[in-house]
PDB file of all heavy atoms in Angstrom:
ATOM      1  N   ASN A 400     -20.534 -30.859  33.499  1.00 79.00           N
ATOM      2  CA  ASN A 400     -20.100 -31.874  32.528  1.00 79.00           C
ATOM      3  C   ASN A 400     -19.999 -31.358  31.091  1.00 79.00           C
ATOM      4  O   ASN A 400     -20.624 -31.875  30.167  1.00 79.00           O
ATOM      5  CB  ASN A 400     -21.043 -33.086  32.562  1.00 79.00           C
ATOM      6  CG  ASN A 400     -21.070 -33.756  33.916  1.00 79.00           C
ATOM      7  OD1 ASN A 400     -20.032 -33.933  34.549  1.00 79.00           O
ATOM      8  ND2 ASN A 400     -22.268 -34.105  34.389  1.00 79.00           N
ATOM      9  N   ASN A 401     -19.185 -30.293  30.939  1.00 74.00           N
ATOM     10  CA  ASN A 401     -18.811 -29.798  29.607  1.00 74.00           C
ATOM     11  C   ASN A 401     -19.995 -29.466  28.699  1.00 74.00           C
ATOM     12  O   ASN A 401     -20.067 -29.896  27.554  1.00 74.00           O
ATOM     13  CB  ASN A 401     -17.912 -30.825  28.900  1.00 74.00           C
ATOM     14  CG  ASN A 401     -16.600 -31.030  29.627  1.00 74.00           C
ATOM     15  OD1 ASN A 401     -15.950 -30.069  30.011  1.00 74.00           O
ATOM     16  ND2 ASN A 401     -16.230 -32.280  29.832  1.00 74.00           N
ATOM     17  N   LYS A 402     -20.916 -28.687  29.224  1.00 71.00           N
ATOM     18  CA  LYS A 402     -22.075 -28.307  28.424  1.00 71.00           C
ATOM     19  C   LYS A 402     -21.978 -26.886  27.869  1.00 71.00           C
ATOM     20  O   LYS A 402     -22.867 -26.431  27.158  1.00 71.00           O
ATOM     21  CB  LYS A 402     -23.350 -28.451  29.261  1.00 71.00           C
ATOM     22  CG  LYS A 402     -23.664 -29.904  29.623  1.00 71.00           C
ATOM     23  CD  LYS A 402     -24.969 -30.024  30.387  1.00 71.00           C
ATOM     24  CE  LYS A 402     -25.272 -31.491  30.707  1.00 71.00           C
ATOM     25  NZ  LYS A 402     -26.534 -31.645  31.475  1.00 71.00           N
ATOM     26  N   LEU A 403     -20.907 -26.169  28.222  1.00 71.00           N
ATOM     27  CA  LEU A 403     -20.738 -24.798  27.752  1.00 71.00           C
ATOM     28  C   LEU A 403     -19.597 -24.730  26.745  1.00 71.00           C
ATOM     29  O   LEU A 403     -18.519 -25.267  26.983  1.00 71.00           O
ATOM     30  CB  LEU A 403     -20.445 -23.855  28.926  1.00 71.00           C
ATOM     31  CG  LEU A 403     -21.523 -23.770  30.013  1.00 71.00           C
ATOM     32  CD1 LEU A 403     -21.046 -22.895  31.164  1.00 71.00           C
ATOM     33  CD2 LEU A 403     -22.812 -23.209  29.445  1.00 71.00           C
ATOM     34  N   SER A 404     -19.822 -24.065  25.636  1.00 75.00           N
ATOM     35  CA  SER A 404     -18.819 -23.961  24.582  1.00 75.00           C
ATOM     36  C   SER A 404     -17.999 -22.682  24.747  1.00 75.00           C
ATOM     37  O   SER A 404     -18.564 -21.584  24.813  1.00 75.00           O
ATOM     38  CB  SER A 404     -19.494 -23.960  23.206  1.00 75.00           C
ATOM     39  OG  SER A 404     -18.573 -23.620  22.203  1.00 75.00           O
ATOM     40  N   SER A 405     -16.676 -22.833  24.814  1.00 76.00           N
ATOM     41  CA  SER A 405     -15.826 -21.648  24.928  1.00 76.00           C
ATOM     42  C   SER A 405     -15.898 -20.802  23.657  1.00 76.00           C
ATOM     43  O   SER A 405     -15.722 -19.584  23.706  1.00 76.00           O
ATOM     44  CB  SER A 405     -14.378 -22.055  25.207  1.00 76.00           C
ATOM     45  OG  SER A 405     -13.859 -22.817  24.142  1.00 76.00           O
ATOM     46  N   LEU A 406     -16.182 -21.427  22.525  1.00 81.00           N
ATOM     47  CA  LEU A 406     -16.306 -20.681  21.262  1.00 81.00           C
ATOM     48  C   LEU A 406     -17.436 -19.662  21.342  1.00 81.00           C
ATOM     49  O   LEU A 406     -17.303 -18.527  20.870  1.00 81.00           O
ATOM     50  CB  LEU A 406     -16.555 -21.651  20.104  1.00 81.00           C
ATOM     51  CG  LEU A 406     -16.816 -21.004  18.737  1.00 81.00           C
ATOM     52  CD1 LEU A 406     -15.615 -20.184  18.291  1.00 81.00           C
ATOM     53  CD2 LEU A 406     -17.168 -22.063  17.698  1.00 81.00           C
ATOM     54  N   VAL A 407     -18.539 -20.064  21.943  1.00 84.00           N
ATOM     55  CA  VAL A 407     -19.684 -19.160  22.081  1.00 84.00           C
ATOM     56  C   VAL A 407     -19.285 -17.918  22.862  1.00 84.00           C
ATOM     57  O   VAL A 407     -19.634 -16.784  22.491  1.00 84.00           O
ATOM     58  CB  VAL A 407     -20.863 -19.864  22.780  1.00 84.00           C
ATOM     59  CG1 VAL A 407     -21.967 -18.863  23.125  1.00 84.00           C
ATOM     60  CG2 VAL A 407     -21.412 -20.984  21.899  1.00 84.00           C
ATOM     61  N   PHE A 408     -18.511 -18.105  23.930  1.00 83.00           N
ATOM     62  CA  PHE A 408     -18.120 -16.971  24.768  1.00 83.00           C
ATOM     63  C   PHE A 408     -17.049 -16.117  24.087  1.00 83.00           C
ATOM     64  O   PHE A 408     -16.987 -14.907  24.312  1.00 83.00           O
ATOM     65  CB  PHE A 408     -17.659 -17.464  26.131  1.00 83.00           C
ATOM     66  CG  PHE A 408     -18.790 -17.983  26.965  1.00 83.00           C
ATOM     67  CD1 PHE A 408     -19.079 -19.332  27.014  1.00 83.00           C
ATOM     68  CD2 PHE A 408     -19.604 -17.101  27.656  1.00 83.00           C
ATOM     69  CE1 PHE A 408     -20.148 -19.804  27.768  1.00 83.00           C
ATOM     70  CE2 PHE A 408     -20.677 -17.562  28.411  1.00 83.00           C
ATOM     71  CZ  PHE A 408     -20.944 -18.918  28.468  1.00 83.00           C
ATOM     72  N   LYS A 409     -16.214 -16.719  23.254  1.00 84.00           N
ATOM     73  CA  LYS A 409     -15.265 -15.926  22.456  1.00 84.00           C
ATOM     74  C   LYS A 409     -16.030 -14.987  21.533  1.00 84.00           C
ATOM     75  O   LYS A 409     -15.731 -13.786  21.437  1.00 84.00           O
ATOM     76  CB  LYS A 409     -14.357 -16.847  21.633  1.00 84.00           C
ATOM     77  CG  LYS A 409     -13.281 -17.588  22.413  1.00 84.00           C
ATOM     78  CD  LYS A 409     -12.420 -18.411  21.454  1.00 84.00           C
ATOM     79  CE  LYS A 409     -11.239 -19.064  22.158  1.00 84.00           C
ATOM     80  NZ  LYS A 409     -11.611 -20.219  22.960  1.00 84.00           N
ATOM     81  N   LEU A 410     -17.023 -15.537  20.848  1.00 87.00           N
ATOM     82  CA  LEU A 410     -17.810 -14.737  19.901  1.00 87.00           C
ATOM     83  C   LEU A 410     -18.645 -13.689  20.631  1.00 87.00           C
ATOM     84  O   LEU A 410     -18.788 -12.560  20.150  1.00 87.00           O
ATOM     85  CB  LEU A 410     -18.712 -15.649  19.069  1.00 87.00           C
ATOM     86  CG  LEU A 410     -17.990 -16.650  18.162  1.00 87.00           C
ATOM     87  CD1 LEU A 410     -18.997 -17.556  17.466  1.00 87.00           C
ATOM     88  CD2 LEU A 410     -17.123 -15.925  17.132  1.00 87.00           C
ATOM     89  N   LEU A 411     -19.177 -14.056  21.808  1.00 87.00           N
ATOM     90  CA  LEU A 411     -19.967 -13.104  22.587  1.00 87.00           C
ATOM     91  C   LEU A 411     -19.111 -11.933  23.046  1.00 87.00           C
ATOM     92  O   LEU A 411     -19.525 -10.769  22.965  1.00 87.00           O
ATOM     93  CB  LEU A 411     -20.583 -13.804  23.800  1.00 87.00           C
ATOM     94  CG  LEU A 411     -21.441 -12.931  24.729  1.00 87.00           C
ATOM     95  CD1 LEU A 411     -22.621 -12.348  23.968  1.00 87.00           C
ATOM     96  CD2 LEU A 411     -21.941 -13.755  25.921  1.00 87.00           C
ATOM     97  N   LEU A 412     -17.894 -12.218  23.515  1.00 86.00           N
ATOM     98  CA  LEU A 412     -16.996 -11.147  23.947  1.00 86.00           C
ATOM     99  C   LEU A 412     -16.669 -10.221  22.777  1.00 86.00           C
ATOM    100  O   LEU A 412     -16.657  -8.990  22.930  1.00 86.00           O
ATOM    101  CB  LEU A 412     -15.723 -11.735  24.540  1.00 86.00           C
ATOM    102  CG  LEU A 412     -14.691 -10.714  25.050  1.00 86.00           C
ATOM    103  CD1 LEU A 412     -14.120 -11.144  26.393  1.00 86.00           C
ATOM    104  CD2 LEU A 412     -13.544 -10.558  24.050  1.00 86.00           C
ATOM    105  N   MET A 413     -16.416 -10.790  21.607  1.00 87.00           N
ATOM    106  CA  MET A 413     -16.098  -9.965  20.446  1.00 87.00           C
ATOM    107  C   MET A 413     -17.298  -9.105  20.043  1.00 87.00           C
ATOM    108  O   MET A 413     -17.146  -7.942  19.632  1.00 87.00           O
ATOM    109  CB  MET A 413     -15.639 -10.855  19.295  1.00 87.00           C
ATOM    110  CG  MET A 413     -14.312 -11.553  19.584  1.00 87.00           C
ATOM    111  SD  MET A 413     -13.790 -12.708  18.298  1.00 87.00           S
ATOM    112  CE  MET A 413     -13.319 -11.564  17.010  1.00 87.00           C
ATOM    113  N   PHE A 414     -18.503  -9.654  20.183  1.00 88.00           N
ATOM    114  CA  PHE A 414     -19.705  -8.868  19.898  1.00 88.00           C
ATOM    115  C   PHE A 414     -19.814  -7.691  20.853  1.00 88.00           C
ATOM    116  O   PHE A 414     -20.142  -6.563  20.452  1.00 88.00           O
ATOM    117  CB  PHE A 414     -20.951  -9.748  20.003  1.00 88.00           C
ATOM    118  CG  PHE A 414     -22.234  -8.969  19.897  1.00 88.00           C
ATOM    119  CD1 PHE A 414     -22.734  -8.587  18.655  1.00 88.00           C
ATOM    120  CD2 PHE A 414     -22.933  -8.582  21.047  1.00 88.00           C
ATOM    121  CE1 PHE A 414     -23.912  -7.849  18.558  1.00 88.00           C
ATOM    122  CE2 PHE A 414     -24.106  -7.841  20.950  1.00 88.00           C
ATOM    123  CZ  PHE A 414     -24.599  -7.481  19.702  1.00 88.00           C
ATOM    124  N   MET A 415     -19.536  -7.926  22.157  1.00 87.00           N
ATOM    125  CA  MET A 415     -19.637  -6.854  23.138  1.00 87.00           C
ATOM    126  C   MET A 415     -18.577  -5.779  22.917  1.00 87.00           C
ATOM    127  O   MET A 415     -18.805  -4.611  23.199  1.00 87.00           O
ATOM    128  CB  MET A 415     -19.536  -7.428  24.552  1.00 87.00           C
ATOM    129  CG  MET A 415     -20.714  -8.295  24.960  1.00 87.00           C
ATOM    130  SD  MET A 415     -22.324  -7.516  24.679  1.00 87.00           S
ATOM    131  CE  MET A 415     -22.203  -6.051  25.726  1.00 87.00           C
ATOM    132  N   VAL A 416     -17.408  -6.191  22.403  1.00 86.00           N
ATOM    133  CA  VAL A 416     -16.387  -5.209  22.029  1.00 86.00           C
ATOM    134  C   VAL A 416     -16.915  -4.316  20.907  1.00 86.00           C
ATOM    135  O   VAL A 416     -16.758  -3.090  20.940  1.00 86.00           O
ATOM    136  CB  VAL A 416     -15.083  -5.923  21.599  1.00 86.00           C
ATOM    137  CG1 VAL A 416     -14.132  -4.943  20.911  1.00 86.00           C
ATOM    138  CG2 VAL A 416     -14.402  -6.559  22.806  1.00 86.00           C
ATOM    139  N   ALA A 417     -17.555  -4.938  19.927  1.00 85.00           N
ATOM    140  CA  ALA A 417     -18.126  -4.165  18.816  1.00 85.00           C
ATOM    141  C   ALA A 417     -19.226  -3.226  19.320  1.00 85.00           C
ATOM    142  O   ALA A 417     -19.275  -2.042  18.959  1.00 85.00           O
ATOM    143  CB  ALA A 417     -18.682  -5.116  17.756  1.00 85.00           C
ATOM    144  N   TYR A 418     -20.081  -3.750  20.198  1.00 83.00           N
ATOM    145  CA  TYR A 418     -21.175  -2.950  20.740  1.00 83.00           C
ATOM    146  C   TYR A 418     -20.643  -1.769  21.560  1.00 83.00           C
ATOM    147  O   TYR A 418     -21.117  -0.643  21.429  1.00 83.00           O
ATOM    148  CB  TYR A 418     -22.064  -3.839  21.613  1.00 83.00           C
ATOM    149  CG  TYR A 418     -23.198  -3.117  22.287  1.00 83.00           C
ATOM    150  CD1 TYR A 418     -24.368  -2.815  21.591  1.00 83.00           C
ATOM    151  CD2 TYR A 418     -23.106  -2.728  23.628  1.00 83.00           C
ATOM    152  CE1 TYR A 418     -25.411  -2.152  22.207  1.00 83.00           C
ATOM    153  CE2 TYR A 418     -24.151  -2.063  24.252  1.00 83.00           C
ATOM    154  CZ  TYR A 418     -25.300  -1.775  23.548  1.00 83.00           C
ATOM    155  OH  TYR A 418     -26.334  -1.117  24.155  1.00 83.00           O
ATOM    156  N   GLY A 419     -19.655  -2.042  22.399  1.00 81.00           N
ATOM    157  CA  GLY A 419     -19.117  -1.002  23.259  1.00 81.00           C
ATOM    158  C   GLY A 419     -18.413   0.105  22.501  1.00 81.00           C
ATOM    159  O   GLY A 419     -18.466   1.266  22.888  1.00 81.00           O
TER     160      GLY A 419
END
Side-chain angles (χ1 to χ4, degrees):
N400 299 318
N401 296 313
K402 293 183 179 179
L403 300 175
S404 169
S405 62
L406 175 61
V407 171
F408 289 96
K409 286 183 174 76
L410 296 176
L411 180 60
L412 181 137
M413 294 176 72
F414 173 81
M415 292 309 299
V416 167
Y418 177 80

